[in-house]
Amino acid sequence: MKKMDNTATDSWIVDNNPDSSTVKNSCHPNLKMFLAALSFAYFAKALSGSYMKSTITQLERRFDIPSYLIGIIDGSFEIGNLLVIAFVSYFCAKLHRPKIIAIGCILMSFGTFLIAMPHFIIGRYKIETSIRSSVNSTNNLSPCPASSPESLWAGDRPSILPSRGCEKESSVSMWIYVLLGNILRGIGETPVQPLGISYIDDYAQSDNAALYIGCVQTISIIGPVFGYLLGSLCAKIYVDIGYVDMETITITPGDARWVGAWWLGYLIAGAITLMSAVPFWFLPKSLPMPVEKHDTNCTPEQTRFIKDSPGLKHKFRPEEPANLHLMASEFVPTLKSLLGNPVYTIYLCVTIVQFNSLIGMVTYKPKYIEQHYGQSASKANFLMGMINIPAVALGMFSGGVVMKKYKLTIMGAAKFAFGTSLLGYFLSLIFFAMGCENAKVAGITVSYSGVGGLSYQEQSLISVCNSDCSCTSREWDPVCGENGITYVSPCLAGCNSSTGSGKNTVFNNCKCLAVANTQPGNLTATLGQCPHRDSCEKVFPYFLAMSVLSSFIISLGGTPGFMLLVRCIKPELKSLALGIHTLATRTLAGIPAPIYFGAIIDTTCLKWGYKMCGGRGACRIYDTSAYRIVYLGLTLGLRTVSFFLCILGFALLKRHIKKEEKHVLTNGSAELETLRKEENSSIHCEQFILALDCNPDRETRL
């Protein structure tokens, strides 16, 4: 009987010749197919998830809802995970994992299609505007109607009377369909990560597992690149494209009322997700296993048989029929064993806090770029997809390469992840210095005379210069005066006439411009807000550069940190550990973070829009200085808390490693003696069999 060299322990055994054993170091073809399929599934789910975040401002404006409600919709994805993740991670891990992943991808696609459904059953988007001139008309239109004593403070009434369809519109909240679709997406996404990663870790060589997982995660980060680019493209297209004459649309993509074709991207993402389910149906339940993993999962006799048997072509882990009753009875003891690991528990706490910071930051970063630096939703999504996300992908991949090249231990991986996170934290502090001043909006951020430091109240929109007009303070139809100040509406700017039509409308004889004019000039105003000053435009490139650098450095520790999770637990608990980790982070970070981030951001809103039927709608303009402080302060404050937990984690990890080393030293001699006895027994057995084979009288005696 042939003996294999010790170097075979890091390879798969594939023996097609009964007389010899051959060792192949290459990845098994089915594992290659699984890697490709899982990468595509990660790409698809990341694409649809990032597209959801890219449409946040579009959904706010389309359904007239505040940021905290958008946070609930965004967090509903994690609610879907919460419903089934414990069941999937524990029970489905012992079933046909590729087919379970395929079913999940199909559910994800159906949920994505459901999100787009409200567009096809809701009415056309109605823009809040006071411009009612026809396209071909060049007649003068007075935006300043004469006022009467009883209509002087018209701010208490909606600017547009409720229409006949108002009751029907208000009775059904269409955003509920978006919420339900996102929950279904979350349910479908549940098996992809825990079952996919555990499948790779089971059937890949230990030296290559980190690299394979790093590759899958890197490809998954390419998904957000295309997700944000898709969001950028759809944000440029008007929501009702094909149903309205675009010449009649008086707003541009940079306007606070603009809504892009948000529904189109969900149809595309749903189709891609549906395609990702196909390959998993053709993959087997099990794959050939590296010999080294038989050493830890089999008895010494089984291990020696696997190594020495020349007639065994493919070595699979012995599988037992799934016994759901036995699995259920073992669940609670297994969970106690897992949570009894102090290193795993502190790792959970650290990642929960860091995920709160990460999810809150990523969810509202495009909106931060829009509101703080005056960029359109399309440009903000484009920059996220083309600059920020590739830096994260490169960092994740580089982290996997570093771990493989330098063969980092558990402690080495922990130190590397902590160091990169700390360096990225210090770089992020610079963002506080990269701020822009508030836009000059008369009656909101500056007085009508142009003096800043105004404490906004609804009555402050009414001034002497527009008191002769019957203006409403609830309307948001901004115009930019020649003096560089934005006015909430042509009426509140005191404009007496207008020329042109559509986007080319120009308002003349605007009395409020004369109040703030230090030099004589034209009292005209054009549609839209005034652009940000040059000083803000100069800061923005530095913000992007620092954002890319900090994202790259922080993501370097992503793969080593993830491998720390896998290696600090027993092999048989991997699937459950990954599932509980995903459950905890999504329950305690994925669900609440977008909600409380959105609620805090809502407190910085200066001017709310109003629905056609009354009631507060989406925010039109924010206090950018306050937005920067609460957004960055909350993000970095959470990271600060996580660093204190990391210090405790290092102490526990160090104690855990010493305990393991002591256990090995104590039991190593006894195990070595046992193996020697078994080896001698095996040699005697072989000699006895050879003697039987060579004895000519064997058959007579038997």
Side-chain angles (χ1 to χ4, degrees):
M1 187 176 291
K2 284 192 172 183
K3 304 278 185 188
M4 292 198 65
D5 189 72
N6 290 334
T7 58
T9 59
D10 293 329
S11 307
W12 283 291
I13 303 176
V14 181
D15 189 0
N16 295 319
N17 185 351
D19 296 328
S20 64
S21 300
T22 59
V23 178
K24 293 187 178 181
N25 293 317
S26 61
C27 182
H28 191 275
N30 281 335
L31 183 58
K32 288 181 180 179
M33 183 178 175
F34 184 84
L35 283 171
L38 187 65
S39 298
F40 187 48
Y42 263 65
F43 170 83
K45 76 182 183 68
L47 184 146
S48 57
S50 59
Y51 183 77
M52 162 64 77
K53 295 188 181 298
S54 75
T55 58
I56 277 181
T57 53
Q58 313 295 311
L59 295 175
E60 278 186 28
R61 297 166 185 171
R62 184 64 185 94
F63 299 109
D64 267 325
I65 52 180
S67 294
Y68 84 90
L69 199 51
I70 278 291
I72 294 176
I73 293 175
D74 188 68
S76 64
F77 177 85
E78 321 300 344
I79 295 174
N81 272 263
L82 174 63
L83 295 175
V84 297
I85 194 166
F87 174 83
V88 168
S89 300
Y90 184 71
F91 293 100
C92 294
K94 301 184 180 182
L95 303 176
H96 199 302
R97 285 179 283 186
K99 287 187 178 179
I100 298 295
I101 295 174
I103 294 171
C105 292
I106 294 173
L107 289 177
M108 273 196 293
S109 67
F110 287 168
T112 309
F113 290 138
L114 181 59
I115 294 174
M117 192 180 71
H119 172 74
F120 300 99
I121 58 179
I122 199 173
R124 301 284 170 259
Y125 177 56
K126 298 177 180 64
I127 302 171
E128 177 190 1
T129 180
S130 59
I131 301 171
R132 297 179 176 84
S133 58
S134 62
V135 177
N136 298 322
S137 173
T138 58
N139 297 331
N140 290 347
L141 175 69
S142 176
C144 176
S147 63
S148 57
E150 62 272 11
S151 64
L152 185 60
W153 298 101
D156 296 332
R157 301 191 305 273
S159 60
I160 302 175
L161 293 176
S163 62
R164 290 184 178 180
C166 182
E167 183 178 353
K168 179 181 178 182
E169 181 181 344
S170 62
S171 63
V172 179
S173 297
M174 289 297 168
W175 59 266
I176 293 293
Y177 292 99
V178 181
L179 179 77
L180 295 176
N182 213 28
I183 290 176
L184 188 58
R185 277 189 58 243
I187 293 173
E189 191 267 351
T190 305
V192 177
Q193 178 175 332
L195 301 189
I197 297 298
S198 64
Y199 194 90
I200 291 175
D201 198 59
D202 280 346
Y203 300 116
Q205 299 177 38
S206 296
D207 289 345
N208 293 332
L211 181 62
Y212 292 158
I213 293 173
C215 289
V216 170
Q217 291 182 333
T218 301
I219 294 173
S220 74
I221 294 181
I222 298 176
V225 174
F226 287 89
Y228 280 107
L229 290 180
L230 182 61
S232 175
L233 176 63
C234 293
K236 290 181 181 179
I237 305 171
Y238 187 65
V239 60
D240 291 322
I241 186 73
Y243 296 97
V244 297
D245 184 0
M246 292 303 298
E247 293 297 325
T248 63
I249 305 301
T250 59
I251 58 176
T252 63
D255 195 282
R257 296 161 294 171
W258 176 272
V259 176
W262 59 274
W263 52 273
L264 181 60
Y266 287 111
L267 296 180
I268 296 172
I272 293 174
T273 307
L274 188 61
M275 291 170 55
S276 69
V278 176
F280 290 104
W281 291 105
F282 303 99
L283 286 164
K285 182 179 179 181
S286 303
L287 294 178
M289 292 191 64
V291 175
E292 60 176 4
K293 297 190 177 181
H294 283 283
D295 291 342
T296 60
N297 292 284
C298 303
T299 64
E301 293 83 358
Q302 289 173 324
T303 302
R304 187 167 57 253
F305 174 77
I306 291 168
K307 289 183 179 179
D308 296 343
S309 298
L312 191 59
K313 295 183 178 181
H314 298 278
K315 279 67 180 179
F316 294 91
R317 176 180 291 176
E319 295 182 4
E320 298 177 0
N323 188 332
L324 295 180
H325 177 72
L326 180 61
M327 292 160 62
S329 63
E330 292 176 350
F331 178 73
V332 174
T334 304
L335 184 61
K336 286 183 178 179
S337 174
L338 178 64
L339 297 180
N341 186 334
V343 177
Y344 178 76
T345 304
I346 197 67
Y347 182 92
L348 270 184
C349 295
V350 171
T351 51
I352 285 170
V353 176
Q354 288 188 341
F355 270 54
N356 270 275
S357 173
L358 177 65
I359 292 171
M361 183 268 293
V362 171
T363 300
Y364 293 101
K365 190 168 187 177
K367 185 173 181 175
Y368 177 77
I369 294 174
E370 289 178 53
Q371 298 297 329
H372 200 76
Y373 296 102
Q375 306 297 324
S376 67
S378 176
K379 186 173 181 180
N381 290 329
F382 178 81
L383 293 173
M384 282 288 290
M386 289 301 295
I387 298 178
N388 233 56
I389 304 300
V392 175
L394 181 61
M396 294 288 286
F397 180 76
S398 301
V401 172
V402 168
M403 189 166 185
K404 177 176 173 61
K405 182 176 180 180
Y406 295 100
K407 300 186 184 300
L408 296 180
T409 61
I410 295 180
M411 181 60 77
K415 290 180 178 178
F416 184 78
F418 178 79
T420 54
S421 182
L422 189 62
L423 180 57
Y425 171 83
F426 287 125
L427 290 175
S428 298
L429 291 174
I430 303 175
F431 291 142
F432 281 105
M434 297 181 175
C436 293
E437 296 180 357
N438 283 316
K440 290 185 177 181
V441 183
I444 296 181
T445 59
V446 297
S447 66
Y448 277 87
S449 60
V451 179
L454 181 67
S455 178
Y456 171 67
Q457 294 179 351
E458 196 167 283
Q459 289 79 6
S460 63
L461 291 173
I462 306 299
S463 180
V464 176
C465 61
N466 56 34
S467 59
D468 294 337
C469 305
S470 179
C471 301
T472 172
S473 59
R474 292 192 172 189
E475 202 166 55
W476 178 259
D477 191 17
V479 293
C480 179
E482 290 288 335
N483 56 5
I485 296 178
T486 299
Y487 296 86
V488 173
S489 69
C491 181
L492 290 170
C495 303
N496 289 320
S497 63
S498 66
T499 57
S501 61
K503 296 177 182 178
N504 299 318
T505 302
V506 177
F507 300 93
N508 306 306
N509 301 320
C510 302
K511 292 183 290 184
C512 291
L513 271 69
V515 177
N517 266 354
T518 56
Q519 298 177 353
N522 294 329
L523 302 180
T524 61
T526 55
L527 287 173
Q529 287 183 248
C530 295
H532 280 242
R533 292 197 300 271
D534 291 339
S535 59
C536 189
E537 291 293 331
K538 292 178 180 178
V539 171
F540 186 54
Y542 294 103
F543 167 80
L544 289 179
M546 191 59 62
S547 177
V548 169
L549 180 60
S550 62
S551 298
F552 171 77
I553 291 175
I554 292 172
S555 60
L556 274 173
T559 301
F562 194 79
M563 291 309 298
L564 172 63
L565 167 65
V566 176
R567 292 183 179 179
C568 73
I569 55 176
K570 298 177 182 178
E572 62 270 18
L573 298 178
K574 276 183 297 189
S575 291
L576 181 61
L578 290 168
I580 295 299
H581 173 262
T582 306
L583 170 66
T585 52
R586 289 181 171 175
T587 304
L588 302 177
I591 295 175
I595 298 173
Y596 66 75
F597 263 82
I600 292 175
I601 289 171
D602 281 340
T603 62
T604 66
C605 182
L606 293 176
K607 180 71 173 70
W608 290 95
Y610 286 87
K611 299 178 182 179
M612 290 187 63
C613 304
R616 197 173 73 175
C619 185
R620 300 305 186 193
I621 184 171
Y622 291 87
D623 182 340
T624 54
S625 298
Y627 194 138
R628 180 177 75 255
I629 292 171
V630 300
Y631 174 73
L632 296 177
L634 189 55
T635 300
L636 297 177
L638 288 168
R639 277 203 236 168
T640 304
V641 174
S642 72
F643 291 142
F644 286 106
L645 292 174
C646 284
I647 296 173
L648 176 61
F650 276 115
L652 292 173
L653 182 60
K654 189 174 182 180
R655 189 176 69 178
H656 174 76
I657 292 173
K658 286 183 177 179
K659 183 179 178 181
E660 290 296 320
E661 290 176 348
K662 184 178 179 181
H663 176 76
V664 170
L665 291 174
T666 303
N667 300 331
S669 300
E671 291 176 358
L672 182 61
E673 185 65 26
T674 301
L675 289 174
R676 283 177 179 173
K677 289 180 179 179
E678 291 172 351
E679 185 68 21
N680 292 333
S681 176
S682 175
I683 293 172
H684 292 321
C685 180
E686 290 173 15
Q687 291 173 350
F688 176 71
I689 293 173
L690 289 173
L692 290 177
D693 288 335
C694 298
N695 192 341
D697 299 327
R698 180 188 57 180
E699 292 183 3
T700 306
R701 287 202 305 268
L702 292 175

